[in-house]
Amino acid sequence: MEFPFPPSTFEGKNRQAEIGAAFEWIKQGWYIFLGKSGLWLSSSFILIFLLFIIALIPVFGIFLCCFCVPIFSVGLFKICATISKDDNDETIYNFNELSILDLFVGFDFYSDSNGEKNEKNKQLFLLSVAFVISIFLLIICSLFILQSGIVVENTTTFNSIINMKLTIGKTLLVGFLIFLFCLPILSAMWFAPLLIFIHQKTCLEAIKISVDASLKNIIPAVIFNVFILILFCLSLITCGLGFLILIPVLFGAIYASYKDIFFGV
């Protein structure tokens, strides 16, 4: 396979992966990390540091971080594609010169005579805007749910056990509802950056294809996200150091799922 793929040969057709495919994707993500572990650790550190600095901006920091994530993801996927390539690949990228600068390829607004790359960055910009809006709506919905009575008022000791059970039940319900709100966002963003940057799809086309592929693979997608959530929690236990490995494994796994679902590789 080539990176980027010729847009004329790609129509967005996808297939239904096996139920246990999520574990194979994560395994491939781990192998991709091992392929250039030093580069990955450096890139992950820089990414985390930059997003942390951006997040410190009052009020708008979190939304600016969300805006940057799809753009940075293109650079991470480019590294994945470089490591996963066959030796005889011939592409517009120089795969023999992997560097940390590849992390910023999504911010490269240089355009050729046809303006191709500029159009890709424009669509990537629109995707980032859509992601920010979706995160804003998610926060609003989450706050609305939290205001629906999750906090139980102080009561007598006699009723404390019953109230504690109600609080736990409501907490689990709120968490489940927020997770349901996250699913459309996750399905839309799963493949969209890759579809835009590799196949020159528009923002709306990329989201539509990504959602279609996600719905067709809803079971392995849910398994994948639950497993990643577990790894996320384990990374928090390590005071955040685990994210240096989780980030490349995550994006390597997403890239592996992309190749599996769209090309059967």
Side-chain angles (χ1 to χ4, degrees):
M1 293 188 301
E2 294 182 347
F3 183 92
F5 297 92
S8 59
T9 62
F10 183 80
E11 299 177 355
K13 295 181 180 180
N14 51 80
R15 72 184 191 93
Q16 185 175 6
E18 298 178 358
I19 295 179
F23 301 105
E24 181 63 27
W25 300 337
I26 295 174
K27 185 175 73 173
Q28 292 299 321
W30 173 251
Y31 288 151
I32 289 176
F33 165 71
L34 294 179
K36 287 286 184 179
S37 57
L39 175 65
W40 275 122
L41 292 174
S42 301
S43 300
S44 297
F45 177 80
I46 292 175
L47 177 60
I48 293 172
F49 177 77
L50 291 176
L51 292 180
F52 175 77
I53 296 299
I54 294 173
L56 294 179
I57 300 176
V59 183
F60 300 104
I62 183 64
F63 296 108
L64 189 56
C65 280
C66 294
F67 178 84
C68 292
V69 166
I71 302 177
F72 275 121
S73 69
V74 166
L76 296 172
F77 287 132
K78 197 262 183 175
I79 297 175
C80 293
T82 305
I83 297 174
S84 303
K85 78 176 186 72
D86 295 326
D87 292 335
N88 57 357
D89 271 349
E90 296 179 0
T91 70
I92 64 172
Y93 293 107
N94 188 344
F95 285 103
N96 295 322
E97 296 183 2
L98 259 180
S99 71
I100 296 177
L101 294 178
D102 289 323
L103 180 63
F104 303 94
V105 68
F107 294 92
D108 183 7
F109 286 90
Y110 166 80
S111 60
D112 55 21
S113 58
N114 297 321
E116 178 182 316
K117 186 172 293 187
N118 187 47
E119 180 62 26
K120 288 191 296 185
N121 285 97
K122 175 183 176 182
Q123 296 302 321
L124 198 59
F125 176 87
L126 293 176
L127 180 67
S128 294
V129 172
F131 185 51
V132 170
I133 294 174
S134 64
I135 293 298
F136 176 76
L137 294 176
L138 176 63
I139 293 175
I140 295 299
C141 292
S142 300
L143 292 176
F144 176 78
I145 294 174
L146 290 174
Q147 292 295 326
S148 63
I150 183 175
V151 179
V152 178
E153 298 179 355
N154 292 330
T155 56
T156 63
T157 306
F158 179 77
N159 295 323
S160 61
I161 297 178
I162 296 178
N163 288 321
M164 182 178 66
K165 291 181 178 179
L166 289 174
T167 302
I168 294 175
K170 289 182 179 180
T171 303
L172 294 175
L173 177 60
V174 168
F176 178 72
L177 291 175
I178 293 176
F179 177 73
L180 289 181
F181 280 112
C182 287
L183 286 180
I185 301 176
L186 293 174
S187 62
M189 296 299 300
W190 193 357
F191 302 115
L194 279 164
L195 295 171
I196 289 174
F197 209 74
I198 298 180
H199 303 287
Q200 291 81 48
K201 296 295 182 182
T202 65
C203 175
L204 291 178
E205 287 175 338
I207 291 176
K208 181 180 178 181
I209 295 173
S210 182
V211 170
D212 176 67
S214 300
L215 291 177
K216 188 177 293 185
N217 294 273
I218 185 66
I219 296 179
V222 170
I223 295 175
F224 178 78
N225 284 292
V226 169
F227 198 80
I228 291 298
L229 180 60
I230 295 174
L231 294 179
F232 180 88
C233 294
L234 293 176
S235 297
L236 289 176
I237 296 176
T238 63
C239 299
L241 293 177
F243 289 109
L244 296 176
I245 298 177
L246 178 59
I247 289 175
V249 171
L250 171 61
F251 282 89
I254 294 175
Y255 183 75
S257 68
Y258 156 76
K259 293 196 295 183
D260 183 18
I261 292 175
F262 288 96
F263 301 95
V265 178

